[in-house]
Structures are given as C-alpha cells and as structure tokens.
Amino acid sequence: MDPEDILVEIEKLSSNDEISKEDIMDMLQRYAATISVYDLMLASAYMRKDGEYIQANYREKYLEIYIKNFIMRMKEVLNNNDYDNSTIDKKAFGDSLPLLKRTFEKERISDSKDDKLPLIYVITSLYTTFILEEPMHPVGSEFPGNLSVEEKNGKFFCPVKDNQKDNVNAICHLCIAEQTPDI
C-alpha cells in the first residue's frame, strides 16, 4: 500500500450513498499503521526546519501545536475506537479530494513515493475535520497580533481563516472553523 493510495480510497468512499465515521476511521487507521517512528521523526524535523522562518516569539508555540496536534496525532488515530458512528457530510468529504490531492503534491519532503509527510497531512486533516469535528488549529492556537482560535457556543472561530481564502492549496478550506467576526 503506497501513501498515495489513500486518495483512491477517498474517491471510492465519496461515491457511497452515505459515509460513516467508521468508514473513514477504518481507512485512516490502516494508513496510520504504515507510518513508522522514523517517518514521524522525519516529519517532525521537516516541520522544525520549516518553522525557522516564523517570527521568533511564535516559533515554539507553532512547533508545539503542529508537532503535537498534527504529526503526533497518528498514535491517537490508531488507538481511537471511541467515536460516535454517525454519518458525515458527504458533500464536504467529496469536496475535500481536490485539496487533499494538491496537499499530497505540496507537502512532499522528497521525490520518493515512500514519503509519508503528505499522508500524515491527509490523515490528520480528515481525522480532525470529520471524526473529531474540530478546527485544524486547536482552540488556543496563537497567531501574530495576539489573536487565537476560539470556541464560542459550540462554534469555532479562526482569526486568519479569510487570509487563506484565495490560496487554493490552504488546508484551511477543509477546516470547520469560521472566520472570527470583526477581524
């Protein structure tokens, strides 16, 4: 099973009449099981190097959020058998495929077909959005200007969501958070 095979499975799954969280978790857990500790170390090192360009006062918080809540989420995916088995928004799931395909190309560390970083991105994105029903950046994630992701009355708000609306490659398009009002 190659990392990119998940895209074919997402496409097949999106053609179902209904898509349950169990359908998604079965797929995510199978692919998460192919990611080794070495793959996670490579992804983490890549994120640290990529984080060098972030303002110094936000760098460590950024790295902590991304490494803990994005890269290291694979263990959580593998061990999560405690989720409601409701059906998900089939249209939103199907609409995510072009973005996830672009993510696969954009997030490569190497030209190797065994590169797992794009797979980690796809698994984490689908898991966070459709299983946990949470925003990509956890509540409390800070952004420049002392802004952060918030939850109010069961809705999630991100202060920078609209900043990415013209970026077709931004994973923000999959995120369930709404733009924080008045920003």
Side-chain angles (χ1 to χ4, degrees):
M1 171 164 50
D2 291 333
E4 277 189 79
D5 291 346
I6 196 170
L7 299 173
V8 173
E9 286 199 43
I10 293 168
E11 190 166 15
K12 284 181 186 174
L13 198 54
S14 65
S15 69
N16 289 357
D17 291 337
E18 287 187 339
I19 304 168
S20 70
K21 288 185 178 184
E22 183 177 12
D23 295 333
I24 296 170
M25 281 301 291
D26 175 60
M27 175 183 64
L28 297 181
Q29 287 174 331
R30 281 186 289 107
Y31 282 92
T34 70
I35 297 169
S36 70
V37 171
Y38 177 74
D39 296 323
L40 294 173
M41 288 173 26
L42 280 177
S44 180
Y46 177 80
M47 297 294 272
R48 287 196 176 282
K49 180 153 179 48
D50 199 40
E52 291 176 358
Y53 304 103
I54 295 173
Q55 295 174 2
N57 52 332
Y58 289 98
R59 187 176 307 126
E60 282 308 310
K61 291 176 184 177
Y62 161 85
L63 290 172
E64 180 182 333
I65 287 168
Y66 267 90
I67 291 170
K68 178 182 174 197
N69 293 297
F70 210 73
I71 303 295
M72 301 312 289
R73 201 157 236 178
M74 292 305 99
K75 182 177 179 184
E76 182 181 330
V77 169
L78 284 169
N79 295 322
N80 186 351
N81 293 312
D82 187 32
Y83 52 89
D84 73 272
N85 190 24
S86 57
T87 57
I88 57 115
D89 181 338
K90 177 181 166 26
K91 181 176 177 353
F93 185 80
D95 289 351
S96 72
L97 187 58
L99 174 61
L100 296 174
K101 284 180 178 179
R102 287 191 301 274
T103 297
F104 236 90
E105 291 309 311
K106 182 181 77 142
E107 297 302 334
R108 290 191 183 280
I109 295 174
S110 70
D111 290 332
S112 169
K113 72 175 189 166
D114 296 326
D115 181 355
K116 299 286 178 77
L117 185 62
L119 179 60
I120 293 168
Y121 264 89
V122 168
I123 291 170
T124 302
S125 299
L126 292 174
Y127 179 72
T128 304
T129 302
F130 295 105
I131 303 300
L132 300 179
E133 299 178 26
E134 295 177 356
M136 293 294 179
H137 291 96
V139 171
S141 297
E142 293 183 28
F143 296 94
N146 292 323
L147 303 170
S148 63
V149 175
E150 301 174 294
E151 180 181 4
K152 293 180 183 173
N153 300 322
K155 286 189 170 188
F156 298 101
F157 297 96
C158 177
V160 298
K161 180 135 183 180
D162 282 354
N163 294 354
Q164 299 298 324
K165 66 183 173 193
D166 294 331
N167 179 356
V168 296
N169 294 322
I171 204 73
C172 300
H173 296 293
L174 185 58
C175 183
I176 66 169
E178 298 174 22
Q179 172 64 39
T180 304
D182 304 324
I183 290 187

